[in-house]
Amino acid sequence: MLGTPSLGPTSIPRAPEDEDSRNVIDRLAEFVAKNGMEFEERTRAKQYGDPRFAFLYGGEFADYYRFRVMQEIQKLNDGNPTAGLVPPPAIHVPQFDANAALAQIATFNQQIADSEANLRAQFDSIELQKEAQLATAIEKAEADKIASICEQVALDVDPLSKMLDQLSGHCSKDVISNSKKWIFEKCTTDRLREAILMYLLYRVKEPRATEQFKLHILYLINDWAHH
């Protein structure tokens, strides 16, 4: 065992901030204190060129290494590692807060869930808008088609349209009779009859058409077809 060196109150040499580097120095100092300087010589010869042991060759932290050797020697001699020594500064290791980590994870998960819900809502809204736009486009195309057909045969269906609008509320025999009379008077050719039939079917397929209105139109078509 090495003799006890004289240690008085002094400032501690700067230790490595890296924990692994500090452990290398501390462990070697402990072994040298127990086994003598021969152990240091063997280590110096064996670890030549290894940057982790640069302190053995006068490199950085050589003073800290000597300080630790003396500290370990005194610890072995009197069993009091702090006698006459200023303890090296402790390396502060932040404590892991499991509860805080779990709370943060829960917050992240909630944010992800909210984002997914927002994306789904936006997607559903876009789909509804597309469906509404498609329905509007189809309805306009049908209306334009009927208008074109009526224009080709010089048929003005506006008077008939006004009479049919009265069927939305209730079925009036007078309305049915007047509508049928108008059809017979105006539809004197096959092309005119075809145009009127397409117009009536168009009115049945309108989104605003109620079930009652559809039945009235079908009744009118049936009555017209059998006369």
Side-chain angles (χ1 to χ4, degrees):
M1 182 182 300
L2 296 176
T4 304
S6 175
L7 287 176
T10 182
S11 61
I12 297 176
R14 184 171 65 89
E17 295 181 0
D18 177 71
E19 186 175 357
D20 290 338
S21 298
R22 180 168 178 165
N23 286 338
V24 169
I25 294 176
D26 290 346
R27 189 173 302 173
L28 180 60
E30 181 180 351
F31 287 145
V32 170
K34 290 180 180 179
N35 301 302
M37 293 302 297
E38 294 83 1
F39 187 85
E40 178 181 313
E41 293 298 331
R42 290 197 301 271
T43 303
R44 184 183 290 109
K46 182 178 180 181
Q47 303 298 341
Y48 180 77
D50 189 334
R52 296 179 303 166
F53 292 87
F55 58 88
L56 289 176
Y57 310 92
E60 189 177 14
F61 306 120
D63 291 340
Y64 175 73
Y65 166 67
R66 291 301 172 194
F67 171 82
R68 288 292 293 115
V69 170
M70 290 187 291
Q71 196 176 42
E72 291 297 328
I73 291 173
Q74 183 164 336
K75 184 191 302 184
L76 292 173
N77 285 338
D78 59 20
N80 186 359
T82 60
L85 297 175
V86 179
I91 299 177
H92 176 67
V93 179
Q95 295 295 319
F96 176 72
D97 190 338
N99 291 332
L102 290 175
Q104 190 173 24
I105 291 173
T107 300
F108 288 156
N109 288 337
Q110 185 60 48
Q111 291 174 348
I112 292 173
D114 292 343
S115 297
E116 291 177 346
N118 290 335
L119 288 175
R120 284 195 297 269
Q122 292 177 11
F123 177 79
D124 292 342
S125 176
I126 291 173
E127 288 300 309
L128 290 175
Q129 291 177 8
K130 287 182 178 179
E131 291 178 3
Q133 291 173 354
L134 179 60
T136 300
I138 292 175
E139 182 180 359
K140 184 178 184 304
E142 289 286 341
D144 291 343
K145 179 180 178 181
I146 294 299
S148 176
I149 292 173
C150 292
E151 183 179 355
Q152 291 175 16
V153 295
L155 178 64
D156 181 11
V157 294
D158 188 57
L160 177 62
S161 176
K162 292 179 179 178
M163 286 187 284
L164 296 180
D165 288 341
Q166 300 177 42
L167 296 176
S168 297
H170 61 280
C171 182
S172 169
K173 291 183 178 181
D174 291 339
V175 174
I176 295 294
S177 178
N178 291 335
S179 299
K180 185 171 61 174
K181 180 181 178 182
W182 186 92
I183 291 173
F184 279 119
E185 289 177 352
K186 299 296 182 180
C187 299
T188 56
T189 66
D190 289 340
R191 290 193 65 191
L192 287 169
R193 282 189 285 271
E194 182 181 359
I196 284 295
L197 180 59
M198 293 185 66
Y199 173 74
L200 293 175
L201 293 176
Y202 161 73
R203 291 298 302 268
V204 169
K205 293 188 296 182
E206 281 184 316
R208 62 176 179 170
T210 63
E211 293 300 321
Q212 186 179 21
F213 179 80
K214 294 177 183 179
L215 288 175
H216 294 336
I217 296 296
L218 293 176
Y219 174 76
L220 174 60
I221 294 174
N222 182 70
D223 196 26
W224 170 37
H226 289 83
H227 284 77

